Structures are given as C-alpha cells and as structure tokens.
Amino acid sequence: MVKRIERGLCEIYHEDPDRADALVFGRIADANRRGFLRGAGLGAMAAAIGVTAIPYARNMPGGLIPAALAETVEDFEIEGKHEGLIVHNDRPLNMETPAHLLDDDVTPADRFFVRNNGTLPDPINADEWRLTVDGEVNDEIELSLDELKNDFEAVTLKLQLECGGNGRAGFNPPPSGNQWTIGAIGNAEWTGVRVADILRRAGLKPTATYTGHYGYDEHLSMDPERQALSRGGPIAKMMDPHTIVAYAMNGEDIPIHHGYPVRIVAPGWAGSVSQKWLTRIWVRDREHDGQGMTGLSYRVPRYPVAPDTEVPHEDMEVMGSMIVKSVISYPEAGTEVDAGRPFEVRGQAWAGDQHVTDVEVSTDFGSTWRRAELSDPPNRFSWQRWRADVTLPSVGYYEIWARATDNLGQAQPMVVPGWNPRGYLNNACHRIHVTAA
Ligand SMILES: Nc1nc2c(c(=O)[nH]1)N[C@H]1C(S)=C(S)[C@@H](COP(=O)(O)O)O[C@H]1N2
Ligand SMILES: [Mo]
C-alpha cells in the first residue's frame, strides 16, 4: 500500500547545486563551500578527479557533477553508518538522520546522527584510557575502564540526545553552522555510571559549581593546545541520576563515532554537554569557559529578538534544557497512500528535562487536530512513541503535521520560534507531505 518515492543525489543536484557540491566536495574543500566552483575550490576539484587542471573550467556550470565523479558518489559513505544518513560536512564529520530512519524506539548506532567539532580520533587502547576528576573536589581521582565498570553501580537507560542546533536550517536569516533539519536527535540505550556517583567518590567541595569536560579528539587546526570542544553543565544537572558516564551504546562498546570508549550522556540538554571520548571532568567554581562555552556558542538571548539582531554579549545566556519536540518517522515523506483507507502515522516525541503529555496530528494544515496515542517513556529522559490512524478522504496532496505538548503545557509552535544568532532550539512542528491515490 505504501510506496516510497526515491530521491537520489542527482535530483538534489538539480534542486540545490550548492548543497550537492558540498556533499561531493565536502571532503576536500575548506570551511565555506558556497561558491566553490567559482573560487579557489577549482584546484581541489581537479585534485579530486585526479588531474592537474581542468582547462575549460570556466565553462563548467556551478553544480555540475563532473562525470568522473558522478559514478563514485555512492562512495560518500561512512563506515559504520547507515547509507541513508545525510552528510552535512565531513571534516568535521556531521551527519543527520532522515526522519523516516528515526522509527526505532531505540536508535541503532548506525542510524544515530554524528556531530563532531574536531577530528574523528583514532580509537585509543581502552586499557590505557583514564578518566581524571579534578578541580573543586576533596580527592582528585583517576579511573581506569575496569574501575569504572567494577567499582560503581551500572545503570542502563534509554536517553534522548539532541544537538542544540537541531532545526537550525529553519531559521531565516540562516545562522552559521550545520544546517540540521530535524534529524540531529537520537535515543539510544546507554550503559554506564552516574556522574553523581563519580563526583561523590571524589567529594565535591562547597565551591563546586560547574563541570568542564575534556575529550581526546583534536581541534581541526591540530593545535594540541586547543580543544575541539570542552563544555560542561551546572552541578545540579550533573548530579541528576540520569546523567551518566557511558561505556556502552545499545549493549555494545560505544562506536568510535559516538565516543569510544567512554562519553558523557547528559540527556535533555544540548548534545554538546555530552562529551565524547571523555578523559577528564574538571569541577569548576564558576561556569566553565572551555571551547564552546564562550562567545555566542550554545547561548541564546535572554529575551526575544527580531531576526538578524546583534545581541550584546551580556544579554546572551548559556542554554539549559532542550524544549518539547516531535518527529514523524512513519510514513516517509513523499509516500503514496490509498485515499479513503486508514493508515498508521507514528513518530517520537521528547521534551528535554520535561516529558511529553500530548501529541496531536493534523492532515488539514492545522485546521483540526486529533489526539495521537502516546506511550509513557520507559524511563525518564527517553523519547516517547506516538501513533495515530489517519484516513485521507480523497485523491490529492496532503501534509501530516504533528505537535507535542509537555507537562508544563508548552506546545510546539507551528512556525519557527524565536530567532537567535546561532540558530538553537528550533522546535517548530515537523510536517511531511503524502499523496493519496
Ligand atoms: N569530544 C567531543 N564531544 C562531543 C562533541 C565533539 O565535537 N567532541 N560534539 C558534541 C555535540 S555538539 C553533540 S550534538 C553530541 C553529538 O553526539 P553524537 O555524535 O554521538 O550524535 O556530541 C557532543 N560531544
Ligand atoms: Mo551539537
């Protein structure tokens, strides 16, 4: 009954040559790829094709796939990741999950989005790995992987992890950063140790205010003095029993893309708090000021601002919890269904530190809504499954819209919410189109 409409890279090229260029040339071009073919990128393109020059390059239309590469486009696959993921960038590696691949209650590792700020490190020898906890603690401690696994109580939890910039592509004017649409979210089953238990073992001093996290990935400049990312969270969030130092993802060692051998998972907050390849937790007496904590990073204005406003730094504050959101994971956008016959619509919903109390679905552009069935989360901070049976009355084009509401009564907006300089916290309703035949 349900037919998928295929969409290939050539089609993307047709619609959005800039993005297609970025997909094809992302691995060799530098930061800003817009206008790639018009500028210094030509040399890189020639190198990619394996020639020294393209004599008639000036005649090449922007967005033309060189035939020499067209056949190898499928090579743009990343080991260990599902081929359907959307690659936004490959240095650093950033890939998001299309909505229809978020249909599992527990997101498989190969479908889980990847957000790296620095290099993808080579896996280290787990026997040599250590976690240092220092700063505002009574006893500085150093833990091996064995000690982490054997000396503390293990917990296994399904936890949502969403990038703070998920949805950035919806903002106008577009803030810089990865143009995530909706798929920088996943809900894996993580096994590890409560950060609270580790901090208690070290003993927090009364001055302990914030954590600062360090990992063994490297800054893209390869300058060893610089961190790819070093964020943290207020002690209260870190003491929450759902904030863990994880050593397993879905019952297996954490794959290298997701932080092998150990990462933090601080569910419900911007994913950047969940340090991958963790090596150190520095307990601070103030808000941490590592890479990604200062400037505009992970900060939003304290008050609503008009698009494109330059907000004074003192009016920007570090983001806390993510906000209520949902995704339609079935059917896939573009599916053809039978008019007059009921079919299932389903997806996931989550709400940062809160939980979801309601999901509603509309097939008439928001004029009427029906309540979906909503499952309780298996544990706090897991996303929640919702489903509804929907019938489209007659042949034609429809959109399915979904809207979640949390326990505080906060609902997703239909339109893109408050613009902010770096494009965080877009929780506008997800919508997909289907046709009835
Ligand atoms: N060491 C390190 N940890 C990191 C990052 C990073 O670049 N380096 N990226 C963060 C960001 S911004 C997000 S959204 C999550 C993404 O986790 P994932 O790649 O496992 O999906 O990891 C976070 N942890
Ligand atoms: Mo992120």
Side-chain angles (χ1 to χ4, degrees):
M1 175 192 88
V2 175
K3 198 173 87 209
R4 251 195 66 203
I5 296 171
E6 289 288 342
R7 195 165 175 278
L9 193 89
C10 294
E11 201 180 326
I12 303 177
Y13 244 97
H14 188 66
E15 287 167 12
D16 186 352
D18 275 352
R19 195 174 112 68
D21 274 352
L23 285 172
V24 176
F25 295 107
R27 65 175 83 193
I28 41 157
D30 281 322
N32 185 356
R33 300 189 184 85
R34 295 245 159 107
F36 181 89
L37 291 174
R38 289 177 287 279
L42 259 177
M45 179 196 275
I49 306 174
V51 297
T52 49
I54 306 174
Y56 291 120
R58 74 190 134 82
N59 298 339
M60 278 176 89
L64 177 80
I65 295 188
L69 273 187
E71 314 84 80
T72 66
V73 160
E74 309 85 80
D75 291 349
F76 208 89
E77 271 172 27
I78 309 284
E79 211 189 315
K81 303 309 287 185
H82 191 282
E83 61 189 24
L85 297 200
I86 300 157
V87 180
H88 284 296
N89 200 338
D90 83 317
R91 188 175 186 276
L93 182 64
N94 289 292
M95 8 181 31
E96 79 169 271
T97 316
H100 71 279
L101 295 182
L102 289 172
D103 198 39
D104 303 274
D105 289 342
V106 173
T107 312
D110 72 332
R111 297 182 176 205
F112 207 96
F113 81 100
V114 177
R115 195 316 183 216
N116 294 343
N117 289 268
T119 60
L120 174 69
D122 289 330
I124 56 167
N125 181 344
D127 295 334
E128 278 154 32
W129 176 87
R130 294 288 181 278
L131 172 62
T132 304
V133 182
D134 61 348
E136 305 301 305
V137 292
N138 299 326
D139 300 301
E140 190 175 314
I141 55 175
E142 204 185 73
L143 299 171
S144 68
L145 195 52
D146 279 346
E147 287 167 325
L148 191 73
K149 289 183 176 172
N150 299 323
D151 298 1
F152 296 88
E153 188 189 340
V155 290
T156 295
L157 295 165
K158 295 174 179 134
L159 302 171
Q160 27 136 337
L161 188 70
E162 182 178 16
C163 182
N166 194 21
R168 178 175 291 128
F171 287 109
N172 190 17
S176 65
N178 287 301
Q179 297 300 303
W180 306 115
T181 64
I182 189 142
I185 170 78
N187 193 72
E189 183 183 77
W190 301 95
T191 301
V193 169
R194 297 179 193 95
V195 173
D197 292 348
I198 297 172
L199 294 181
R200 278 197 202 100
R201 165 81 55 98
L204 289 178
K205 288 187 174 167
T207 45
T209 305
Y210 219 91
T211 54
H213 308 156
Y214 291 81
Y216 70 85
D217 50 339
E218 287 170 288
H219 192 270
L220 285 182
S221 66
M222 301 307 264
D223 175 351
E225 300 300 308
R226 299 176 72 182
Q227 309 297 322
L229 184 79
S230 175
R231 301 200 67 238
I235 291 296
K237 178 66 183 173
M238 303 319 290
M239 295 302 281
D240 185 298
H242 302 87
T243 300
I244 64 172
V245 165
Y247 50 75
M249 180 185 196
N250 299 339
E252 293 181 25
D253 285 352
I254 299 177
I256 187 66
H257 289 293
H258 300 292
Y260 179 86
V262 165
R263 78 174 301 166
I264 290 182
V265 181
W269 283 43
S272 51
V273 179
S274 296
Q275 191 84 26
K276 301 194 276 191
W277 311 292
L278 182 71
T279 53
R280 178 187 179 202
I281 300 177
W282 180 19
V283 181
R284 308 290 315 264
D285 62 0
R286 66 199 67 185
E287 189 172 273
H288 183 49
D289 52 3
Q291 179 71 36
M293 290 297 306
T294 57
L296 294 176
S297 300
Y298 301 100
R299 283 172 194 256
V300 288
R302 291 179 203 279
Y303 45 81
V305 300
D308 222 9
T309 303
E310 247 182 68
V311 186
H313 187 255
E314 61 273 20
D315 292 349
M316 300 285 288
E317 63 185 355
V318 177
M319 289 161 59
S321 172
M322 298 296 289
I323 50 181
V324 63
K325 201 155 168 176
S326 59
V327 61
I328 302 162
S329 59
Y330 186 90
E332 181 177 356
T335 295
E336 195 178 279
V337 299
D338 293 337
R341 282 247 300 262
F343 63 99
E344 185 179 28
V345 174
R346 59 176 189 253
Q348 318 288 355
W350 61 98
D353 282 349
Q354 309 305 322
H355 65 271
V356 178
T357 51
D358 255 309
V359 174
E360 297 151 291
V361 176
S362 177
T363 53
D364 55 9
F365 302 100
S367 170
T368 61
W369 294 85
R370 85 168 49 202
R371 208 161 168 185
E373 288 165 37
L374 175 69
S375 305
D376 289 333
N379 53 253
R380 236 197 113 195
F381 289 104
S382 168
W383 69 15
Q384 295 164 246
R385 155 77 64 194
W386 59 266
R387 64 168 304 286
D389 290 315
V390 165
T391 305
L392 302 177
S394 55
V395 168
Y397 173 91
Y398 293 85
E399 292 188 7
I400 301 173
W401 295 6
R403 175 172 73 189
T405 305
D406 72 13
N407 51 299
L408 301 177
Q410 303 175 121
Q412 292 182 258
M414 284 317 309
V415 294
V416 176
W419 185 92
N420 58 87
R422 282 287 166 85
Y424 299 119
L425 297 175
N426 177 4
N427 69 336
C429 288
H430 185 213
R431 57 193 185 113
I432 62 164
H433 72 283
V434 292
T435 49

